[in-house]
Amino acid sequence: MPDRTDDGYLRALILRTVQEANILPLTSACNLSCLFCSHRQNPPGLDVYRLPPRPPEVVAGLAEWLDPQRPVVIGESATRIIEGEPLAYPGWAAVLRRLRERLPVTPIQVTTNGSLLTEAAVATLASLAGVMVYLSLNSASPEKRRRLMGDPAPERAVAAPALLARYRVPFHGSVVAMPHVTGWDDLRRTVRFLAASGAETVRVFLPGHTRYARGAAVLPPGLWERLAEFLGELRAELDVPLTMEPALLGDLRPEVAGVAKGSPAWRAGFKTGDVVESVAGKPVFSRVDAYRRLWRARDPEAVLRRGGERRRVRLTKPARASSGAVFLFDLDPRDVERVRQAAHSRRARRVLVLTGELAAPLLRAGLPAKDEGEPGGYTVAAVPNRFFGGSIACAGLLTVADLEAALREYLSHGEEPDLVLLPGRAFDHRRRDLTGRAAGELAVPGRTEVEVL
């Protein structure tokens, strides 16, 4: 794994992380050793980067590149920089204070494993105002959290929700579901604990494993499907939104997964299970589209379908602010438009879209049927991830070798495409995959064009 800390590529990567994702990277260091940590299962030779602690003034200087109209995110990863525990960064409080001075009203989101949420740390977060904590608790049992995460003092994280509530620091709870390790009752108790402790939402992450995983890190067959059913039943008894990531969706029905109590959507009468048909008079394409339209609009009117009834409601909220309606993540309509534009610009009649196994059914649902006069006919091929193996099924971890294997398989029984579209999430800004191979190295038939979306 590369460990370059001052080369031009890493500096460019940090800047792109700040500018494009509004993420402020602090450190790759982590103080725990989680059983489910993906970095412990990585194949050798990945083009990813560990970021050592840098002087607080250097990190804070990146704030000038942040978008003040979007929340600043700390502790999440969107590029090949490995994100660690932000509160393990020695100067985190100084960085956040300087950030708040520069961006006095911009929301700040901090994702933490909770092991360092002392009363002094929570008091500091409270003093900054406008901070939202994303607490990765994973188990409300100290004993089981210690087993899952190697936490030497798990009681601190378990006590963190009460501490956050006392200091009025809002938080979302998250759980990496490992019921084959902790038991299904522990998963149920942990979700209920977070909901009862004041979490605005509870996110349950489906774990994954690569072919390098061993022991309990290897998931039992059928675990994802059983988790989806289990969480569906649990969702019905909670009064806070419970989401699952990835959502394992096969359709684009813009259904409300939950409604935050006291939010504009809650006051307007949104209910879990409502389908949003239109916002501000415009039809809704997908769950992602519904969320963004509601977020973007000021005092929007929405048409909801509840069973066989249609209801027209109005939300009272500023523009570019949360509605409080929670949706599972499906398909961004802009991705569909990019596919269509690529087909039109190349005048391609046979378009092959290569993507991950999770995204394939959603793209098939979202791509339009061929219209009269439209040049494109679209085929979506789900690409198995042979490089990582195991249960990995997302487009962002595909390699050129994976895409080549899928293309060969397609060509063995299908027509030669005019255009092959590759998922942009699999490549960095240099159009190179996680192994360093360029998208342009993809072997295609002579007349076939290739484009990264």
Side-chain angles (χ1 to χ4, degrees):
M1 179 184 296
D3 191 18
R4 289 168 276 178
T5 59
D6 58 354
D7 67 0
Y9 175 70
L10 182 55
R11 289 196 297 271
L13 197 59
I14 292 171
L15 192 56
R16 293 182 77 89
T17 298
V18 173
Q19 290 179 309
E20 296 177 4
N22 234 40
I23 291 176
L24 188 63
L26 294 188
T27 181
S28 297
C30 185
N31 60 326
L32 301 183
S33 180
C34 297
L35 179 65
F36 48 79
C37 179
S38 61
H39 303 307
R40 298 172 62 180
Q41 306 176 22
N42 278 341
L46 288 185
D47 197 13
V48 294
Y49 296 81
R50 291 191 178 275
L51 192 65
R54 290 183 161 191
E57 60 271 17
V58 173
V59 177
L62 292 168
E64 65 181 281
W65 302 103
L66 292 165
D67 180 358
Q69 300 301 315
R70 293 188 290 158
V72 175
V73 179
I74 296 173
E76 297 279 353
S77 180
T79 63
R80 295 179 186 186
I81 297 173
I82 293 175
E83 289 288 347
E85 166 54 44
L87 301 189
Y89 176 75
W92 70 265
V95 167
L96 262 63
R97 288 191 187 99
R98 294 184 186 186
L99 184 61
R100 179 51 77 219
E101 289 170 5
R102 184 172 184 86
L103 304 173
V105 297
T106 299
I108 300 173
Q109 298 176 2
V110 178
T111 296
T112 174
N113 61 37
S115 63
L116 300 175
L117 280 177
T118 62
E119 183 161 3
V122 173
T124 297
L125 294 172
S127 71
L128 295 168
V131 172
M132 175 70 74
V133 169
Y134 285 76
L135 173 62
S136 301
L137 185 62
N138 300 313
S139 176
S141 159
E143 177 188 350
K144 292 181 178 179
R145 178 178 159 93
R146 182 183 288 111
R147 182 180 178 190
L148 276 178
M149 304 176 70
D151 189 347
E155 296 82 5
R156 180 180 292 161
V158 175
L163 199 55
L164 291 166
R166 180 149 61 88
Y167 279 87
R168 298 185 179 180
V169 177
F171 78 99
H172 297 261
S174 69
V175 180
V176 177
M178 300 283 282
H180 60 295
V181 176
T182 63
W184 291 92
D185 284 344
D186 180 73
L187 176 57
R188 182 183 291 106
R189 284 195 296 269
T190 301
V191 171
R192 287 174 173 169
F193 171 76
L194 286 167
S197 299
E200 296 197 1
T201 67
V202 179
R203 301 184 299 168
V204 175
F205 292 93
L206 305 189
H209 71 273
T210 75
R211 58 193 170 97
Y212 291 86
R214 297 293 181 268
V218 178
L219 309 184
L223 179 64
W224 283 9
E225 292 75 13
R226 189 177 174 194
L227 275 167
E229 183 179 351
F230 175 85
L231 295 174
E233 295 169 357
L234 190 54
R235 186 177 292 118
E237 70 175 62
L238 299 178
D239 59 357
V240 301
L242 172 63
T243 62
M244 183 175 77
E245 300 178 30
L248 307 183
L249 298 169
D251 62 64
L252 302 178
R253 185 175 66 255
E255 182 177 339
V256 177
V259 186
K261 291 175 69 174
S263 67
W266 185 82
R267 292 193 298 270
F270 278 59
K271 302 288 185 186
T272 300
D274 285 349
V275 175
V276 182
E277 294 191 337
S278 68
V279 175
K282 295 183 179 179
V284 170
F285 173 78
S286 64
R287 296 168 180 83
V288 170
D289 191 35
Y291 172 83
R292 288 197 175 139
R293 287 181 185 276
L294 289 168
W295 176 81
R296 196 164 43 234
R298 175 182 175 182
D299 298 338
E301 183 180 77
V303 175
L304 309 177
R305 187 173 76 248
R306 185 177 302 164
E309 271 184 56
R310 278 187 174 81
R311 297 168 179 248
R312 197 175 296 271
V313 299
R314 183 172 293 279
L315 292 79
T316 301
K317 60 173 286 293
R320 297 171 67 88
S322 172
S323 69
V326 177
F327 298 85
L328 301 180
F329 189 89
D330 53 8
L331 183 62
D332 190 330
R334 293 176 295 188
D335 289 337
V336 173
E337 187 56 30
R338 290 185 188 106
V339 172
R340 296 191 66 172
Q341 287 178 357
H344 277 278
S345 65
R346 306 281 186 135
R347 297 188 176 277
R349 296 191 172 277
R350 292 183 300 277
V351 180
L352 175 62
V353 184
L354 298 178
T355 190
E357 293 175 300
L358 292 173
L362 299 175
L363 274 170
R364 291 187 188 116
L367 283 170
K370 185 174 182 286
D371 297 327
E372 186 177 348
E374 185 176 67
Y378 305 100
T379 300
V380 177
V383 181
N385 196 310
R386 294 172 172 87
F387 180 73
F388 281 90
S391 64
I392 305 304
C394 58
L397 295 180
L398 292 173
T399 67
V400 170
D402 293 325
L403 297 165
E404 280 178 334
L407 179 58
R408 284 195 300 270
E409 173 66 19
Y410 173 82
L411 292 173
S412 70
H413 57 77
E415 282 189 282
E416 182 179 312
D418 302 316
L419 175 63
V420 176
L421 297 177
L422 308 181
R425 293 172 180 84
F427 300 94
D428 65 8
H429 61 280
R430 306 167 303 171
R431 295 292 191 261
R432 293 185 179 275
D433 71 9
L434 280 163
T435 68
R437 288 189 65 188
E441 296 178 36
L442 183 73
V444 295
R447 295 188 178 183
T448 300
E449 296 185 90
V450 177
E451 184 171 332
V452 178
L453 292 182

